[in-house]
Amino acid sequence: MKLIAPTFATLCFAAMTDASAGSAKPDPKPAPHVQQVTPQLYDYTTKLLFGEVWKRTELARRDRSLITISALIAGGQSAQLTSHLNLGLDNGLTPREIGAIITHLAFYAGWPNAMSATTVADQVFSTRAIDTATIAPPAAELLALDEASESKRRAAVQSATGEVAPKLGEYTNDVLFAELWRDPGLSARDRSLVTVASLIAQGQAAQLPFHLNRAMDNGLSTAEASEVLTHLAFYVGWPKAMSAVPVFKEVFTSRG
């Protein structure tokens, strides 16, 4: 049974750009009932969120789509995914990358959220006539590792889980980091963005220092990291964004 009707996107937001044609589309607009029921929310959405935040140059639109999709999946907000998957495709994400985002988030936001996202993605791909048979499977050749930092990370995982949940430590080291993080379906920077966005969305501040440092090691600049936090405040709520602020400050300070 289709959980998302083909016309659902008309109730959300239209795509912001048409990357394939290279021509700009009008800014997204909420459904008419939003203006009727909550006119102030409509104004904030059109004038602030899409009229200003999405246009800020501190973060590329592709990155904004990537972190928005990640936050929605991590927060179980599948009802909003249709419009944002379409927007992500228009902003340069490929179907293969969207599949990789969903797979990555199965580990960081749980299998149920990832499985729900696949239903929405299937409908979006079908509506756009994307042949899923052309989506390449994971490459046999994995990305290279920094042996020194990986050895340190493995030891830390083993120390934390060895006496409590040794199999969890094994899966963490041998599947999550040795396989998934090395899959070239997403760049290391993209995987870090997906992970940081999902942790903020779930309020998992304790896991943020490691992954924010990893993201910056993978090429995320301080200005971009700051903008990730600002952007996500609109999608996960101010309390979660503000709770992450001290972690970001600590990481920025520690890195000089």
Side-chain angles (χ1 to χ4, degrees):
M1 181 179 71
K2 291 289 186 182
L3 299 180
I4 306 297
T7 58
F8 183 82
T10 63
L11 302 178
C12 301
F13 298 114
M16 184 181 298
T17 58
D18 187 344
S20 60
S23 59
K25 289 184 178 181
D27 287 347
K29 301 289 184 184
H33 74 266
V34 176
Q35 188 172 26
Q36 296 164 7
V37 177
T38 54
Q40 189 174 19
L41 175 60
Y42 181 90
D43 285 345
Y44 280 138
T45 303
T46 56
K47 297 176 183 178
L48 177 59
L49 180 55
F50 283 100
E52 181 178 328
V53 175
W54 273 85
K55 294 180 178 180
R56 286 170 54 84
T57 58
E58 286 81 357
L59 200 63
R61 285 184 175 179
R62 178 186 177 279
D63 288 344
R64 291 186 187 276
S65 280
L66 186 147
I67 62 173
T68 303
I69 289 168
S70 299
L72 292 175
I73 294 173
Q77 301 292 334
S78 58
Q80 294 296 310
L81 263 180
T82 299
S83 56
H84 279 289
L85 287 177
N86 275 300
L87 183 57
L89 288 165
D90 290 337
N91 282 339
L93 290 173
T94 67
R96 168 74 176 98
E97 288 171 332
I98 287 173
I101 290 168
I102 295 172
T103 303
H104 189 94
L105 286 173
F107 287 82
Y108 284 94
W111 250 249
N113 285 334
M115 289 299 186
S116 295
T118 64
T119 301
V120 184
D122 177 61
Q123 191 277 326
V124 168
F125 293 168
S126 176
T127 299
R128 294 175 72 114
I130 294 171
D131 184 2
T132 54
T134 65
I135 299 177
E141 186 174 349
L142 301 176
L143 299 176
L145 288 173
D146 181 322
E147 293 296 340
S149 60
E150 180 62 10
S151 177
K152 183 178 179 180
R153 186 205 57 74
R154 288 182 67 92
V157 169
Q158 181 60 33
S159 175
T161 63
E163 296 181 1
V164 179
K167 195 63 179 180
L168 174 60
E170 182 180 326
Y171 286 143
T172 301
N173 283 329
D174 298 341
V175 180
L176 179 57
F177 283 96
E179 293 182 9
L180 184 72
W181 271 88
R182 298 178 64 196
D183 175 12
L186 285 174
S187 69
R189 179 182 178 278
D190 283 350
R191 289 194 184 277
S192 283
L193 277 172
V194 170
T195 307
V196 168
S198 70
L199 292 175
I200 295 172
Q202 296 172 87
Q204 298 290 346
Q207 296 295 312
L208 266 176
F210 171 81
H211 282 289
L212 181 56
N213 271 299
R214 188 180 180 94
M216 298 180 78
D217 289 343
N218 285 334
L220 190 70
S221 70
T222 301
E224 289 172 331
S226 174
E227 192 67 15
V228 166
L229 191 55
T230 302
H231 182 97
L232 287 178
F234 290 84
Y235 287 94
V236 306
W238 250 248
K240 288 179 179 176
M242 293 300 291
S243 294
V245 167
V247 178
F248 275 59
K249 182 178 180 180
E250 181 181 346
V251 170
F252 291 170
T253 301
S254 70
R255 298 177 70 93

